[in-house]
Structure formats: C-alpha cells, structure tokens
Amino acid sequence: RFREDALQAMQLKDQGESSQVLLQTLLENGKELLGVRELALKLGMEEADRVSALQRLTAEGQIIQLSEDFYLHRQTLESFTKAVEGILSEYHTKYPLSGGMQKGELRKRLTDKLWIKNPKIVDLLLRYFTDHKVLRETDNKCSLPEFRVVFSEAHQVLRKRLEEKYLASGYEIPELDEVISGEKDKELMQQMAEALATEGVFKRLDAQHFMHRQHWDQAMDLLRQQVAQAGQITLAEFRDLLGTSRKYAVMILEYLDQQKITALVGDARVL
C-alpha cells in the first residue's frame, strides 16, 4: 500500500499536484494522524516539497497544524470537534449542576470515541479545542464555552439546605456521603456540592470533604495571625485556635501543604 501511494504521489508530483496528494492522504488517514516524517516516507516526498505543500495547505485553511509534527485535514478536525461537543453536551444534560467534566475523563472518552491510539494526539486536540474556544477549561474541568450552571427553584431549596448543613458543621469537616445520606437524589446533591465549590461558596479539599467558605476564611485568618506573631504554627496550636479535634486540623494543614501554601519544617509549618 505504501508503494502504491508513493508511486501515485510521484506521478501527481510530476504534474505539480504534490500538495493535493498530501491533502488526500491526510484525509484518508485522519484517525491515524500521521506525523510529517511518516507522511514524507509514505508519499516519497522530498523535504522541500513537503514543507512547501504543508505551508500552502495551512495558509489556504485546508489543513490545521496541531504541533510542529502533526497536521489535520479540516474535515477530520470538524468530525473531532463534533465528537467533543457531543460528549460535553451529553454530560451537561446529565449533570446540569456540574461545572464540567474532569479533563482526564474527557480525554478517555474522546480517545475511545475516536479510536486514537496515541495519547499525545488527544492532548494536542484538547489544547487546540481550548485555544480555539471549542471548550472551556477551569480547574481541570472541561465544559462547552456557553454552558452555565443555572439553579431552578427546586435547586435553590436543595442549595440552601446543603449550605446550612456545612455552616452548622463549622471546622468539623464532614464527609459528603454522610451529609447527603438522607437525601433522595444523592447524585444531584453531589453535583450541588461541586457547583457550590466552583462558585466559591464551598472550599473543596478533596472529592469527599468541603468546608463552607465562611469557616475556611476564618481558619485561614487564624493561621496567618499565628504565623505573623510566631513565624510558624504547630498542629497543636492550629487545633486549639480552631477549637476542634486533631483530625480536622490535620486535614486542613495537609491540604495547605499539598497546595504549597504551607511547608512543614520540623514540627511546625511556615507560610
């Protein structure tokens, strides 16, 4: 097959149509996403001819450059664009209160849907889609650019109830599953917690632990005041300032360590 393609390319090149051969090859091998060197080898093109053809086709808008090594036929890009828009549209319909699909999940879904074997290509596509406003990425979540979380009257009732529970918990951070254990639609309440975190009403420590922003801000003020006075803060000092147990103080401090806000030096932490 490579030999036939190369012979055809050579014949058409003699007729001054090497760029059209390259264009057709990109279209026929869309999902394989051949690199420029593979294209040259497949078609038997000299480097100068390959570079000239790629530049011409890119300028004409018939192909799109994803990176230094990879190009896409416009029709292939359009089909990929429809695929990612379809995945995200379906997600928004199913999870109307979620700010977006986790990027890792979108990467996997797109890979499976398009049958792309090279993970590097999927990452290049996602970057292209983000740069060209096909999707919006916020805090490692992807959504359609026009998507917005909209709370219905029924949602507002659930929102208020969830907020009240977290306001009542104070610094004693409960597990989300525990908080919503009595709710009829637990999946919707999980979405609600994530939506409130995206909105900034909740502070998300991990998938199961949230704090109301009011309590989080108070905890951070107490921590900063102690560090300003003593230059550091110990776990015991932070626990006493919060008036809570060691378990919850550790949870907050370890999150701050992970986010590089604090650093553990000996038995104390510094900012």
Side-chain angles (χ1 to χ4, degrees):
R1 178 61 184 172
F2 268 41
R3 181 179 177 81
E4 292 175 4
D5 289 338
L7 288 173
Q8 181 186 24
M10 290 174 64
Q11 291 171 356
L12 290 173
K13 185 169 64 174
D14 290 339
Q15 302 167 16
E17 299 180 7
S18 59
S19 62
Q20 292 306 307
V21 178
L22 191 151
L23 182 64
Q24 185 62 28
T25 302
L26 282 174
L27 179 59
E28 292 175 354
N29 295 272
K31 292 187 178 181
E32 292 182 27
L33 295 180
L34 301 175
V36 291
R37 292 174 181 81
E38 292 174 288
L39 277 171
L41 178 63
K42 188 177 179 70
L43 300 178
M45 295 179 69
E46 297 292 337
E47 182 177 1
D49 292 331
R50 169 176 57 80
V51 171
S52 175
L54 289 172
Q55 289 177 342
R56 174 186 169 188
L57 293 171
T58 302
E60 292 174 351
Q62 297 190 68
I63 64 175
I64 289 83
Q65 184 174 10
L66 287 182
S67 69
E68 183 179 345
D69 296 322
F70 290 99
Y71 291 77
L72 278 179
H73 193 286
R74 175 163 291 281
Q75 289 183 27
T76 302
L77 178 67
E78 289 172 355
S79 70
F80 287 179
T81 300
K82 288 180 180 178
V84 74
E85 288 176 339
I87 291 170
L88 289 175
S89 179
E90 181 182 334
Y91 180 86
H92 292 324
T93 300
K94 188 174 182 180
Y95 304 106
L97 298 185
S98 172
M101 178 182 285
Q102 289 290 336
K103 187 175 182 180
E105 177 63 16
L106 178 59
R107 184 187 292 110
K108 181 180 183 302
R109 293 278 301 277
L110 198 59
T111 299
D112 293 344
K113 190 176 184 68
L114 300 179
W115 292 80
I116 296 176
K117 297 179 181 179
N118 187 346
K120 177 182 178 182
I121 301 301
V122 180
D123 287 333
L124 289 174
L125 282 171
L126 290 177
R127 186 175 68 185
Y128 178 90
F129 290 146
T130 302
D131 291 344
H132 290 79
K133 313 302 182 186
V134 174
L135 61 82
R136 181 178 66 238
E137 182 180 345
T138 306
D139 295 332
N140 214 37
K141 289 184 177 181
C142 299
S143 65
L144 293 173
E146 69 276 9
F147 175 76
R148 297 292 184 275
V149 173
V150 177
F151 295 106
S152 66
E153 289 186 12
H155 291 154
Q156 292 288 3
V157 173
L158 297 177
R159 172 190 173 123
K160 181 180 179 182
R161 187 157 71 232
L162 192 60
E163 267 201 78
E164 288 174 347
K165 289 181 178 181
Y166 277 93
L167 280 169
S169 67
Y171 302 126
E172 297 185 356
I173 310 162
E175 287 194 0
L176 179 59
D177 286 346
E178 176 189 344
V179 174
I180 65 175
S181 61
E183 298 290 342
K184 182 177 180 180
D185 191 338
K186 295 178 176 56
E187 187 175 274
L188 182 62
M189 293 302 279
Q190 289 175 340
Q191 293 180 49
M192 181 68 73
E194 291 287 353
L196 288 172
T198 299
E199 192 177 316
V201 177
F202 284 0
K203 178 66 180 179
R204 185 183 192 275
L205 304 184
D206 59 43
Q208 273 294 311
H209 296 97
F210 298 79
M211 286 181 70
H212 197 284
R213 175 64 66 173
Q214 177 180 315
H215 299 312
W216 174 262
D217 289 345
Q218 290 170 351
M220 292 306 97
D221 286 344
L222 291 170
L223 183 143
R224 293 189 188 96
Q225 290 170 15
Q226 175 65 20
V227 173
Q229 292 173 6
Q232 62 179 27
I233 188 168
T234 65
L235 170 58
E237 288 169 341
F238 190 52
R239 177 201 61 202
D240 293 343
L241 286 171
L242 297 183
T244 188
S245 71
R246 183 179 186 278
K247 171 185 175 181
Y248 302 115
V250 167
M251 195 180 299
I252 295 172
L253 290 174
E254 287 184 346
Y255 172 82
L256 294 173
D257 291 344
Q258 292 167 6
Q259 299 302 309
K260 310 298 183 184
I261 297 171
T262 56
L264 184 61
V265 179
D267 294 329
R269 284 174 168 83
V270 296
L271 292 175

